[in-house]
Amino acid sequence: MEAAAYASFTSFATKSLPFYSISQSSIINLRQNCHKNTLKSKSPRNLVICASSGSSSGSVVTLLDYGAGNVRSVRNAIRYLGFEIEDVRTPEDILNADRLIFPGVGAFASAMDVLTKTGMAEALCTYIKNDRPFLGICLGLQLLFESSEENGPVNGLGLIPGVVGRFKSSNGIRVPHIGWNALQVAKDSEILDDIGDHHVYFVHSYRAMPSDDNKEWVSSTCNYGDDFVASIRRGNVHAVQFHPEKSGDVGLSVLRRFLNPKSRGAKKPTQGKASKLAKRVIACLDVRANDKGDLVVTKGDQYDVREHTKENEVRNLGKPVELAGQYYKDGADEVSFLNITGFRDFPLGDLPMLQVLRHTSENVFVPLTVGGGIRDFTDANGRYYSSLEVASEYFRSGADKISIGSDAVYAAEEYIKTKVKTGKSSLEQISKVYGNQAVVVSIDPRRVYVKGPNDVQFKTIRVTKPGPNGEEYAWYQCTVNGGREGRPIGAYELAKVVEELGAGEILLNCIDCDGQGKGFDIDLIKLISDAVSIPVIASSGAGAVEHFSEVFMKTNASAALAAGIFHRKEVPIQSVKAHLLKEGIEVRI
Ligand code: 1PR
C-alpha cells in the first residue's frame, strides 16, 4: 500500500465528483478504452480533448488531488516555486489542463476504483495519449502500468507495459523502501537534468520493473534489491517513483523543470553512480509548552526536560519552525517533531502544534514526522475522536509520517495476550488507511540489568559493558507516558509485534542514553535492527560525529537521529555527513 488515503479519497469523490456512481466495469475495459483514440462527446466516458484551454496563465498548474496526506507537500512545493494550483473536480478539468500533476497516493486498487468511477481514468488516458504535459508522482507513476500485485492483481491504466510488484524482503532489503537513493539515468528526460549524483527520496513498498517492453518509456532506474523504474518519460509525459516534493533542492528542481519548460537548458543529464540506500541523518525536535504557555523546542537528560535551578523551568532551546527550517538548510534528511506532552494533552486541542507543522511544511522539503498523543480520545464535551482522526489532522497539517509511542505499547501488550488482530488499534487503523510507510512506532525503553539470560521472560542480551553490580545481561523495558511508567513488555517483543501490526519504521530511543552525548546504545540498536525487517532509526546519545559512523558500522540501523548536539550547535549536520562519507558510508549530500 502506498500511503493509502482511501477514506478521505472516497469521501472526497462522493462529495465532490459528479461521476462517482459510474459502473466499475470500465476497470476491465480500461485498456481497450485507452487505445481508442476517437473520443468525441463530452460525456464522462467519452471525452473530447481541448488542447489548450482552461487557464491560459503560464503560472497555473492543475492538480489531481484526492485529499490524502502528502498532497499537501506537493501543493506547498508548487506554491513555493511561484505557481498557482487549480484542482481537478471533473474529468473535463483534466482534459482542459495546460499541465497536470498527479501525486498518486493511496492503495493501487482503491485509486483505480475511484479514478474509474469518476471518469477520471479515461480522461487521464486521453490526456496522456495526446502527449499533454503530465507529471505523475509515486502511485501516479505506478497507475500508468498494466497492473499491480498490490491487493491484486488489479488492472491499471495500461499505458505502459509491465506489472507493479512488491519489493522482496527475501533479497535482504528492508520493506518499505524508505530513504534516499541516486538514480541511473537511462535517457535524456529533461526534468532530471539537475539530478546527476544527487539522491532523491523514495517511500514505497511496490515498484515497476524495467523490461524490453517498456524501455522506450523508462528514463531512469534505481537499485534496491533489484533494479526498478525510478522515472518514465515519453514526449511531454513524465512520472517519477520518488517524491520530488520531499527531495530537497534537487527535488524542487525536478518540479521546476516540469512546471517551467522554458527553464530547461540544453544541459545533458550526468549519469548517477550506482548507489545503495543512503543512511539518513535526522534532526529531532522535542516540543512542548513551557510554563508561560509558549511552544518551545526542549531537550531532556534521560527524559528530564527541566532546568535544575530554583525555577525548575522547562529547558528552552528555540522555536520549532525556525529550528526545523535551519535543519533543512543544514542538510537534515528528515525532521521529526515529538509533542512530548501529547500523552496527557489532547493533540487536536493543541493548535499551536498543528500550526508549527503547517508553517514548517511550507518551507521544508524533506519528510516531516510528528508524534505525541496519537490515540483514541474523548474530550470534555464527550466528543469521541479516533486515533485515525488525530493522525489525519497531523497529515492534513503537513506531516508525512506519524509516530506512535504509548498507544503502540498497549496495542502490542493486548496482541501478545489475545493473539488476535482486532484491526482497531491506532497502529492498524492508521497503517490501513495511510500505508505502513507513514506509521512510525517510537519506542522508549530503559535498560534493566539481570544476572542471567533467563532471569526474565523477555529477550535479554549479553551487554558489552556490565551493569553496576557486574551484571552481564540486560533487557530493555518499554515505557509509556514519556518514560514515566514501565510496562511488562521488552523492546524486542514490542518491535516484532508492531511490525506485524503495521508499523513501517521504528524510532528506537533509549532513556539511559538520552541527552548523555556518550554514543548510541549499540547493544539495543543491534538487537532491534536484526530482529525486524522494517527500517530502524537509532536515537539517543549522539555526542560526536564518530557516534554516527559507529552506529552504522556496528548495527543495521537505516538512520540515526540526534537532538541535543544539533540544538546546542555543537556539531553541524554537514560535519556528521562529511565524517560518514570519509568513513565510506553513503549519505545524501
Ligand atoms: O507516547 O505517543 O504520546 O508519544 C510521545 C513521544 O514523545 C514519544 O515519541 C516519546 O519518545 C517522546 N517523549 C516523551 N517524553 C519525552 C521526554 O524527553 N521527556 N522525548 C520524549 C523523547 C527522545 C528522542 C530524543 C533523542 C535524542 N525524546 O526523540 O530526541 O533521545 O536526543 P539526544 O540526541 O539529545 O540524545 P506518545
Side-chain angles (χ1 to χ4, degrees):
M1 185 183 284
E2 311 295 345
Y6 188 47
S8 40
F9 190 2
T10 47
S11 81
F12 167 80
T14 313
K15 280 186 217 139
S16 318
L17 300 171
F19 307 115
Y20 190 66
S21 58
I22 288 167
S23 125
Q24 209 181 345
S25 61
S26 52
I27 286 186
I28 300 148
N29 298 323
L30 199 57
R31 190 131 187 253
Q32 290 103 311
N33 288 344
C34 283
H35 291 291
K36 282 185 213 154
N37 208 5
T38 53
L39 302 172
K40 293 255 158 60
S41 92
K42 265 200 166 187
S43 85
R45 294 175 61 74
N46 243 344
L47 299 156
V48 118
I49 191 142
C50 310
S52 74
S53 59
S55 168
S56 56
S57 160
S59 65
V60 175
V61 58
T62 304
L63 190 74
L64 177 49
D65 168 12
Y66 32 81
N70 72 354
V71 171
R72 185 186 175 94
S73 311
V74 176
R75 282 180 190 281
N76 284 337
I78 294 170
R79 291 204 182 103
Y80 181 86
L81 293 170
F83 288 79
E84 286 166 43
I85 296 166
E86 261 176 23
D87 281 291
V88 168
R89 306 229 167 268
T90 67
E92 280 79 8
D93 293 339
I94 293 178
L95 300 176
N96 292 340
D98 285 333
R99 65 211 129 173
L100 179 70
I101 295 190
F102 179 32
V105 280
F108 192 101
S110 40
M112 271 311 295
D113 195 26
V114 177
L115 289 176
T116 306
K117 285 176 176 167
T118 55
M120 300 280 179
E122 195 173 338
L124 268 174
C125 285
T126 305
Y127 184 87
I128 290 170
K129 284 191 75 72
N130 282 281
D131 194 29
R132 307 286 301 137
F134 173 86
L135 176 64
I137 298 175
C138 195
L139 189 66
L141 173 143
Q142 296 178 7
L143 289 163
L144 305 181
F145 282 80
E146 285 173 306
S147 65
S148 171
E149 289 168 1
E150 184 180 356
N151 301 327
V154 181
N155 283 343
L157 294 173
L159 295 160
I160 305 179
V163 175
V164 177
R166 196 170 198 279
F167 282 113
K168 293 182 178 39
S169 49
S170 55
N171 284 353
I173 53 164
R174 288 168 195 269
V175 182
H177 171 215
I178 298 181
W180 300 79
N181 272 89
L183 307 179
Q184 286 293 300
V185 179
K187 68 174 184 203
D188 187 359
S189 66
E190 293 184 350
I191 64 166
L192 302 183
D193 280 2
D194 296 321
I195 285 201
D197 282 342
H198 291 289
H199 293 76
V200 288
Y201 184 73
F202 289 90
V203 48
H204 57 135
S205 299
Y206 290 83
R207 84 293 188 233
M209 309 284 275
S211 69
D212 279 349
D213 293 338
N214 59 32
K215 70 169 180 256
E216 61 172 299
W217 285 90
V218 176
S219 55
S220 72
T221 59
C222 178
N223 186 276
Y224 190 63
D226 40 38
D227 284 343
F228 68 88
V229 177
S231 66
I232 62 106
R233 187 262 168 112
R234 195 157 88 174
N236 290 311
V237 176
H238 303 266
V240 290
Q241 179 61 65
F242 57 88
H243 286 269
E245 77 283 8
K246 287 285 143 189
S247 295
D249 283 348
V250 75
L252 292 176
S253 85
V254 172
L255 287 173
R256 192 183 291 110
R257 281 180 172 274
F258 172 73
L259 291 171
N260 188 6
K262 286 186 210 115
S263 74
R264 295 176 196 165
K267 191 175 161 189
K268 283 280 155 233
T270 37
Q271 191 70 14
K273 286 195 209 99
S275 110
K276 295 200 288 266
L277 185 63
K279 298 289 185 184
R280 286 172 279 157
V281 177
I282 300 176
C284 181
L285 294 89
D286 289 353
V287 176
R288 62 160 287 172
N290 65 10
D291 300 315
K292 293 188 202 114
D294 302 324
L295 208 59
V296 297
V297 175
T298 190
K299 183 67 215 70
D301 276 331
Q302 300 184 327
Y303 284 34
D304 176 4
V305 297
R306 293 202 173 259
E307 301 279 12
H308 293 173
T309 57
K310 203 162 79 206
E311 289 76 24
N312 202 222
E313 285 174 335
V314 171
R315 207 168 283 138
N316 180 348
L317 291 167
K319 295 184 179 162
V321 179
E322 275 173 26
L323 271 185
Q326 187 58 50
Y327 294 145
Y328 168 61
K329 287 190 195 131
D330 292 348
D333 297 317
E334 277 180 47
V335 174
S336 294
F337 289 108
L338 296 176
N339 186 357
I340 67 170
T341 49
F343 69 89
R344 61 170 182 242
D345 308 323
F346 179 45
L348 296 192
D350 196 355
L351 288 173
M353 188 64 222
L354 298 177
Q355 293 288 12
V356 162
L357 267 180
R358 285 183 198 127
H359 289 135
T360 303
S361 63
E362 280 165 17
N363 294 298
V364 170
F365 299 105
V366 292
L368 291 177
T369 302
V370 65
I374 296 178
R375 65 190 192 286
D376 296 345
F377 188 86
T378 303
D379 71 11
N381 303 320
R383 158 83 156 92
Y384 168 81
Y385 295 85
S386 71
S387 53
L388 182 58
E389 282 175 88
V390 179
S392 297
E393 196 53 44
Y394 276 149
F395 285 122
R396 272 195 291 275
S397 301
D400 300 290
K401 302 188 250 184
I402 55 87
S403 145
I404 308 175
S406 308
D407 210 48
V409 178
Y410 300 127
E413 286 179 23
E414 189 62 20
Y415 179 62
I416 288 172
K417 202 160 62 188
T418 61
K419 305 269 181 297
V420 177
K421 282 189 195 168
T422 61
K424 292 189 178 144
S425 67
S426 53
L427 194 49
E428 290 163 285
Q429 286 190 46
I430 300 166
S431 59
K432 182 166 175 222
V433 173
Y434 288 93
N436 297 22
Q437 74 292 328
V439 181
V440 182
V441 166
S442 168
I443 309 185
D444 298 311
R446 183 176 273 124
R447 198 184 310 129
V448 183
Y449 290 105
V450 286
K451 289 218 165 68
N454 303 318
D455 283 8
V456 281
Q457 66 189 101
F458 311 105
K459 175 90 174 168
T460 55
I461 50 161
R462 197 182 188 115
V463 283
T464 318
K465 282 188 211 143
N469 302 309
E471 298 95 335
E472 289 188 352
Y473 291 86
W475 69 287
Y476 288 87
Q477 181 181 24
C478 291
T479 65
V480 293
N481 301 346
R484 286 168 182 77
E485 184 191 337
R487 299 295 304 179
I489 182 168
Y492 175 88
E493 290 77 15
L494 182 81
K496 304 270 291 176
V497 168
V498 296
E499 178 175 17
E500 251 189 83
L501 292 178
E505 198 169 26
I506 286 174
L507 164 54
L508 186 57
N509 303 295
C510 177
I511 296 179
D512 308 82
C513 298
D514 174 59
Q516 304 307 293
K518 293 182 186 150
F520 297 96
D521 189 322
I522 301 294
D523 291 338
L524 168 67
I525 296 158
K526 186 164 169 26
L527 173 73
I528 304 301
S529 60
D530 287 347
V532 294
S533 62
I534 52 179
V536 171
I537 302 167
S539 166
S540 303
V545 292
E546 292 77 14
H547 295 150
F548 290 85
S549 48
E550 181 188 30
V551 79
F552 289 134
M553 283 169 176
K554 293 188 178 167
T555 78
N556 284 313
S558 300
L561 171 151
I565 52 164
F566 297 149
H567 302 337
R568 293 188 299 269
K569 303 192 176 9
E570 289 164 9
V571 178
I573 293 170
Q574 281 310 333
S575 303
V576 174
K577 292 197 165 179
H579 169 76
L580 291 172
L581 274 179
K582 194 168 98 276
E583 294 298 319
I585 296 166
E586 184 164 341
V587 288
R588 173 183 77 111
I589 32 154

